[in-house]
Amino acid sequence: MSTGQFVSRCTADAMSSAATSIKDGNLVAFPTETVYGLGADASQEKAVAKIYATKGRPADHPLIVHISSMGGIGYWADEVSDYAIALARAFWPGPMTLICKRSTAAKDFVTGGQETVGLRVPDHVVALALLDAAKEIGVHGIAAPSANRFGHVSPTTAEAVREELDQYFSPQDIILDGGPSRVGVESTIIDCTGNNPHILRPGAITQAMIEEVTGLKVTDAQNEIRVSGSLENHYAPQAIVALDTTPQLGDGYIAMSNRPTPAGVIRLASPQSIEEYARILYASLRDGDSQKLSRICIDQPQGDGLAIAICDRLQRAARGR
Ligand code: TXA
Ligand code: MG
C-alpha cells in the first residue's frame, strides 16, 4: 500500500516543494473552493497519465487546466471570445471553468483529443500559491480533475482525498490540506466556443450571473442527452440514494433544517441555507458511507441558482455507481 505525503502546514516552503514535485512529474492533490483537485503538470504526458491511473478514469475524458491568473488564457487557448474574457474578468478567481478553442500547447492527452480546453482560476489561497510557485519554475498550468476515484463523490477535505486515493499514490505524491472547501460542488462549466455561452455543468456561477455579465442569452445542457465522455455520469456514494421519499427506519436523511427527522432515521445533515447545503453535501454522503448505511434519503432543495447545481449532482448520485 503506497502513501502520499500529507502536508497540513502550507507554508511558502511547502508550496515551492509541492511545485517542484509537480515539475518533476508527480501528483499533488490540492484544495480549491469547490472540491479538492488531483493535479499534475498539464504539459507532461506521463504526469497526466498518472492522474488517469490514480483515478481509474477513462483516458478520453478531458481535464480542466488550472491557471494562476487570466494571463494564462492566451497560452492554452486561441480565438477566445469577448464574452469569455468578460466572464473571466467577472468571476475569476472563482468556481467557473471556461471551455475555449485549444492552442497548440493543449495536447490531446489533456483535452481527451477534443479541439477545446477547459480553463479555471480557482479561488483558494493554497491553490493560487501552488499555481504561482509552479509558474515560476516553468509550469504553465496544472491539470486537475476532482481528487476521487472515477464516478465517486468528490472530496471536500484533504482527509477525504486520503481515504479515496491514498492506496493509489506513490510516496513522492503530495496531499495539501487547505481546510474544507467553501463552495462544495464543482465549478460551473461554460462552453465559450459558440455565439452564446452554454452551460455544460451547473455550479455556483449561475445562468443569471452569466447573462448579466455577458448580456447574452445562455443555453444549458440540463435537458440534453450528454455526449458520452464529455461529462462524468455520477457522483455516487456506496449507499443507494433515494430522492424526495419518506425515510424509513435505519435510512440516512439529508434535508433542509426545517424538515423533521422521523423516528429511527439517521440525520446526516440539516443545512439552513442553499450555500450550506452545497458545502456539506459531499461530506454528508461520505459520512453515510462510513456509517455503512444502505440507503440515504435526500430532499432536493428548491429554487434556482446553486439549487440547480445541487439537484444536478443529486440526480446523478441517485442513478448509482
Ligand atoms: O470545480 C471543479 O471544476 C473541480 C476542481 C478540482 O477544479 N474539478 C473538476 O474536474 O470537477 P473533473 O475532471 O472532475 O470534472 C471536469 C469535467 C469533466 O466531466 C470533463 O469531462 C469536463 O469537465 N471537461 C473538461 N474539459 C472539457 C472540454 N474541453 N470540453 C468539455 N468538457 C470538458
Ligand atoms: Mg469529478
Side-chain angles (χ1 to χ4, degrees):
M1 196 196 216
S2 326
T3 324
Q5 299 158 45
F6 195 90
V7 178
S8 297
R9 291 189 63 243
C10 292
T11 58
D13 282 353
M15 290 300 108
S16 72
S17 52
T20 303
S21 191
I22 292 250
K23 175 87 179 164
D24 291 343
N26 302 308
L27 299 178
V28 175
F30 60 96
T32 84
E33 80 282 30
T34 58
V35 300
Y36 274 66
L38 178 63
D41 182 347
S43 302
Q44 291 185 46
E45 183 161 14
K46 273 193 184 157
V48 170
K50 288 184 190 170
I51 294 178
Y52 288 101
T54 304
K55 267 191 78 101
R57 186 189 213 184
D60 61 346
H61 280 227
L63 297 174
I64 296 170
V65 178
H66 296 71
I67 51 181
S68 62
S69 76
M70 271 186 77
I73 298 180
Y75 182 83
W76 294 103
D78 282 338
E79 300 165 31
V80 179
S81 59
D82 288 348
Y83 73 78
I85 298 293
L87 288 169
R89 271 208 189 107
F91 300 125
W92 277 352
M96 176 184 76
T97 297
L98 301 179
I99 305 295
C100 301
K101 184 172 182 292
R102 68 169 167 178
S103 72
T104 52
K107 306 289 189 213
D108 283 348
F109 59 78
V110 81
T111 72
Q114 308 203 47
E115 290 308 313
T116 54
V117 63
L119 297 173
R120 176 161 117 81
V121 180
D123 185 15
H124 192 292
V125 281
V126 171
L128 290 171
L130 174 67
L131 287 162
D132 277 337
K135 184 136 186 269
E136 266 175 37
I137 54 174
V139 174
H140 289 274
I142 297 181
S146 51
N148 51 280
R149 292 285 288 171
F150 182 63
H152 292 195
V153 176
S154 298
T156 52
T157 63
E159 200 43 61
V161 176
R162 176 147 67 181
E163 278 164 22
E164 276 281 321
L165 298 179
D166 210 28
Q167 67 184 113
Y168 306 97
F169 277 137
S170 307
Q172 306 88 288
D173 298 333
I174 296 172
I175 301 173
L176 296 176
D177 180 2
S181 297
R182 186 166 44 74
V183 175
V185 292
E186 303 82 354
S187 63
T188 306
I189 301 182
I190 310 169
D191 181 351
C192 296
T193 60
N195 289 333
N196 286 58
H198 181 68
I199 297 179
L200 295 175
R201 180 176 71 185
I205 302 299
T206 64
Q207 177 168 349
M209 292 161 78
I210 299 165
E211 289 181 343
E212 159 119 47
V213 162
T214 62
L216 296 169
K217 181 93 193 94
V218 173
T219 49
D220 75 72
Q222 285 292 88
N223 301 314
E224 289 174 13
I225 296 166
R226 284 166 197 278
V227 181
S228 168
S230 76
L231 287 171
E232 277 175 37
N233 294 324
H234 24 249
Y235 295 73
Q238 301 281 351
I240 290 167
V241 170
L243 301 181
D244 304 324
T245 50
T246 309
Q248 308 296 318
L249 195 69
D251 283 342
Y253 186 39
I254 298 173
M256 295 294 283
S257 61
N258 59 357
R259 305 297 295 264
T261 311
V265 164
I266 299 118
R267 189 66 175 246
L268 296 170
S270 308
Q272 300 196 20
S273 66
I274 295 293
E275 289 72 25
E276 188 187 357
Y277 198 130
R279 187 161 57 240
I280 66 180
L281 174 62
Y282 291 159
S284 306
L285 293 174
R286 285 178 186 281
D287 181 18
D289 278 349
S290 66
Q291 296 190 48
K292 305 249 179 316
L293 303 182
S294 51
R295 191 168 85 139
I296 301 175
C297 294
I298 308 181
D299 289 356
Q300 297 192 79
Q302 307 290 312
D304 48 16
L306 194 52
I308 292 175
I310 296 169
C311 293
D312 169 78
R313 307 307 191 277
L314 290 178
Q315 284 159 25
R316 291 156 189 257
R319 273 176 234 143
R321 276 195 182 170

